[in-house]
Amino acid sequence: DEFMRTAPSTLTDIPAAEGSSEDAVKAAHTLMLNRLSFELEQRNRMSQAVQELKSKKKALISMNADKRKFLDGLKAQLQTVAKTSAGMQQYLSLPVSKKRHLNHLASLLPSPLYILFYQLSAYKDAYADSELDIAIIGDIPAAETFLASPTPLAVPVAAPVPPPSDVPSSQSRDSVGDAMEADNDEDEP
């Protein structure tokens, strides 16, 4: 039984009743009282632990709300700084706002174009190539709608290209290549 395994030996070591049934009843009663007091002590400890956890949870929720409020305010502050620094960026030839806009547009690109965009952008930054201009042109609302849709639209797959009609399908590639070389040899003077 769990009480006998988990309780301290001072509560579980009750001398066995020798002889009278009255001593056996007292021993059983003492054991039951010890069991109940041990369970009460366990419940009190658990209740205290629950209260501590609830207070920690409440403090964490409050802290998260404060951080969320700070981050929401920070976003507005950063937008204000970006707007007010636009003139300075233009004067110093720092395309920070343009890069941020291009990065947003790049997130709407399909994977191969996204990779190409960032490779070109890295090339331009690394080699300070002022002649290279990178732009993303297209229907931005349509791209945002496409990405927001739960399932992307199916893209039709092109049908396989049939072999040329003048080459029989039973010929191997080598024989076709040999035939083409022979045609080229005949054309030479």
Side-chain angles (χ1 to χ4, degrees):
D1 146 72
E2 185 181 342
F3 169 70
M4 298 303 261
R5 283 183 280 126
T6 58
S9 61
T10 57
L11 297 176
T12 57
D13 290 342
I14 305 291
E18 297 178 16
S20 75
S21 65
E22 190 174 308
D23 289 338
V25 169
K26 282 185 181 181
H29 182 69
T30 304
L31 185 63
M32 181 58 77
L33 288 176
N34 289 346
R35 178 187 304 250
L36 292 173
S37 66
F38 179 70
E39 287 178 5
L40 179 63
E41 185 180 314
Q42 278 185 321
R43 288 180 186 209
N44 287 337
R45 269 189 274 128
M46 287 182 201
S47 176
Q48 184 179 5
V50 166
Q51 292 303 320
E52 288 174 6
L53 290 174
K54 283 182 179 179
S55 66
K56 283 182 182 178
K57 179 183 173 184
K58 189 175 182 180
L60 288 173
I61 289 172
S62 173
M63 189 177 3
N64 283 345
D66 291 343
K67 287 180 180 181
R68 174 71 55 203
K69 185 177 178 183
F70 171 76
L71 289 175
D72 290 341
L74 183 64
K75 183 178 179 181
Q77 295 267 345
L78 290 174
Q79 288 173 345
T80 304
V81 168
K83 286 179 184 176
T84 56
S85 69
M88 184 66 75
Q89 289 176 29
Q90 188 175 13
Y91 180 74
L92 296 175
S93 299
L94 299 173
V96 176
S97 296
K98 182 181 177 184
K99 276 189 174 185
R100 185 173 34 255
H101 180 68
L102 277 175
N103 288 338
H104 169 68
L105 294 178
S107 69
L108 302 174
L109 292 172
S111 295
L113 292 177
Y114 179 83
I115 292 168
L116 180 64
F117 169 80
Y118 274 104
Q119 288 176 344
L120 287 172
S121 180
Y123 174 81
K124 181 178 179 173
D125 291 344
Y127 295 107
D129 191 349
S130 60
E131 293 181 20
L132 179 65
D133 190 28
I134 303 170
I136 299 174
I137 302 170
D139 190 359
I140 296 167
E144 290 173 339
T145 304
F146 178 76
L147 286 177
S149 67
T151 55
L153 301 174
V155 177
V157 178
V161 178
S165 59
D166 61 335
V167 178
S169 60
S170 61
Q171 286 184 333
S172 68
R173 286 181 174 241
D174 293 334
S175 63
V176 171
D178 294 340
M180 292 175 78
E181 285 177 13
D183 289 341
N184 289 339
D185 292 339
E186 292 173 4
D187 294 338
E188 292 179 5

